[in-house]
Amino acid sequence: MKIAVAREIEVCERRVALIPDTVARLVKQGLEVWVEAGAGERAFFSDAAYEAAGATIIADNSKLWGEADILLKVSPPQEREDGRSEIDLLKAGSVLISFLNPLGNPVVAKRLAERQVSAVAMEMIPRTTRAQSMDALSSQASIAGYKAVLIATAALPKYFPMLTTAAGTIAPAKVFIMGAGVAGLQAIATARRLGSVVEAFDIRPAVKEEVQSLGAKFVEVKLDEETTTSGGYAKEISEASKQRTQEVVAQHIKNADVVITTAQVPGKKAPLLVTQEMVAQMKPGSVIVDIAAEQGGNCACTDPGKDIVWNGITIIGPINLPSSMPVHASQLYAKNLTSLMQLLIKDKAVHLDFADDIIDAACITHAGEIRSSRIKEALQALDVQQSAVS
């Protein structure tokens, strides 16, 4: 059985699916690992390092994709320069494991099903204790939260920590984190290490203790509806609840030197948390880092992929933050993948046991069918939208 690691062709993607250390572990288990030439270069892992770990370097892209039993990637399949899709290179009956954005772009799942590929979406790994070692969303979100604070630190025209000097005392920066998921919690911890005063908000009251344990003040808004999904993620709330939330957080945003927004809803546009009116009330020189920029942004002024200055406020909308730290991002992602493959591979062959809750949730296509009802609903909604436009 051949496990293949593809080179990412997306311009902003620097991560790689496996690193030499994880390749070596798979080879010791008697598995054959192919790595596309140059796959690890942008993450600073050389072809020579992969060869030393026991991998076979494959220069022919079509051979690697067309003969792999399991194809490992980071980003969803892309359109190549020759006009062909990477999906068209996969052989029928193979397994693709990658981030696939199946709820945001369900057409990819449809095409994979038509290609007779068993696709495992890393976004769909359930948030359970047993699946923690495979939870790539969490491992990558932690990096995003960390890096967002460093970006804010560099952009803010002030110190983060309190300083007492001969010239006087410098007050610490005030940081307001919106969203206390994995990214938000890592942002809180990083901002605290840098000496700032941190407040954090989340619609889920259950995260209050986690926020406080990191030394931040929790800003609480009591809502008369459920705010957490069965998987532990934040749930989209009603317009009335959104309005109530905005009223509470507005004052905290006004007083903050730095606002970091992290709220995302799988498969949907990011919720609007920071209105233009709120930005207008912030102090000149303040900074907003919008981690949700790729999903449209939590801030009304965010321009995805760009840094802008509006009314004296710097609004930064970074795209794919984990890719900006490709060494550790790849290391963590590779660990997620190898943990998942321990479930999928039995006696050196792929075994998709749909009685296993992790495989059942993450495997979105198999035997020519889309297995997820949520993806089917997303496809139907897309068809309705396209019909309305036409």
Side-chain angles (χ1 to χ4, degrees), residues 30 57 75 100 115 142 161 164 195 207 219 276 317 385:
I57 302 300
S75 62
L100 294 172
R115 189 69 180 173
S142 178
T164 302
V207 302
V219 176
Q276 193 173 89
Q385 182 181 1

Side-chain angles (χ1 to χ4, degrees), residues 353-365:
D353 179 10
F354 295 118
D356 185 292
D357 66 307
I358 298 174
I359 296 175
D360 183 52
C363 185
I364 61 171
T365 67

Side-chain angles (χ1 to χ4, degrees), residues 72-201:
L72 304 178
K73 281 188 93 275
V74 180
S75 62
Q78 306 290 314
E79 299 296 323
R80 304 198 317 168
E81 290 183 356
D82 61 9
R84 297 181 66 193
S85 168
E86 288 181 325
I87 293 175
D88 296 333
L89 300 178
L90 289 162
K91 72 175 182 180
S94 63
V95 177
L96 171 66
I97 308 177
S98 176
F99 284 118
L100 294 172
N101 188 24
L103 298 177
N105 186 13
V107 174
V108 171
K110 180 182 179 181
R111 293 180 62 188
L112 287 167
E114 292 170 345
R115 189 69 180 173
Q116 299 287 320
V117 171
S118 295
V120 179
M122 295 304 288
E123 297 97 331
M124 304 296 278
I125 296 291
R127 179 161 284 183
T128 61
T129 301
R130 179 167 165 262
Q132 279 184 338
S133 63
M134 312 166 204
D135 187 355
L137 277 181
S138 291
S139 71
Q140 303 305 294
S142 178
I143 293 173
Y146 170 81
K147 191 61 180 285
V149 175
L150 299 189
I151 291 171
T153 307
L156 186 69
K158 298 180 179 180
Y159 278 117
F160 253 52
M162 182 181 77
L163 294 176
T164 302
T165 72
T169 299
I170 304 294
K174 297 178 180 178
V175 178
F176 186 44
I177 313 291
M178 304 188 72
V182 175
L185 292 173
Q186 184 61 257
I188 291 168
T190 305
R192 287 284 296 148
R193 289 190 198 104
L194 290 172
S196 63
V197 174
V198 183
E199 293 182 323
F201 160 77

Side-chain angles (χ1 to χ4, degrees), residues 137-327:
L137 277 181
S138 291
S139 71
Q140 303 305 294
S142 178
I143 293 173
Y146 170 81
K147 191 61 180 285
V149 175
L150 299 189
I151 291 171
T153 307
L156 186 69
K158 298 180 179 180
Y159 278 117
F160 253 52
M162 182 181 77
L163 294 176
T164 302
T165 72
T169 299
I170 304 294
K174 297 178 180 178
V175 178
F176 186 44
I177 313 291
M178 304 188 72
V182 175
L185 292 173
Q186 184 61 257
I188 291 168
T190 305
R192 287 284 296 148
R193 289 190 198 104
L194 290 172
S196 63
V197 174
V198 183
E199 293 182 323
F201 160 77
D202 197 290
I203 60 173
R204 298 166 295 175
V207 302
K208 179 177 180 178
E209 290 185 7
E210 294 180 85
V211 168
Q212 292 175 331
S213 71
L214 294 171
K217 177 185 176 183
F218 185 67
V219 176
E220 191 167 3
V221 180
K222 296 187 182 298
L223 302 176
D224 299 325
E225 63 179 285
E226 184 59 50
T227 58
T228 307
T229 67
S230 57
Y233 295 96
K235 184 178 180 180
E236 189 171 20
I237 56 177
S238 67
E239 289 302 320
S241 292
K242 289 178 183 177
Q243 180 63 33
R244 185 175 178 182
T245 297
Q246 289 177 356
E247 290 172 357
V248 172
V249 303
Q251 191 62 36
H252 298 273
I253 291 172
K254 177 181 178 180
N255 295 329
D257 297 301
V258 169
V259 174
I260 296 176
T261 64
T262 70
Q264 301 181 59
V265 179
K268 295 183 180 293
K269 188 178 186 298
L272 178 64
L273 302 180
V274 183
T275 64
Q276 193 173 89
E277 291 74 21
M278 294 178 189
V279 178
Q281 293 180 359
M282 294 179 72
K283 300 183 292 290
S286 298
V287 174
I288 298 173
V289 180
D290 192 344
I291 294 180
E294 202 160 356
Q295 285 192 350
N298 297 140
C299 176
C301 301
T302 297
D303 191 347
K306 297 182 180 179
D307 300 356
I308 65 171
V309 177
W310 185 86
N311 202 37
I313 313 302
T314 300
I315 300 112
I316 302 171
I319 299 294
N320 196 0
L321 272 178
S323 182
S324 68
M325 295 179 58
V327 175

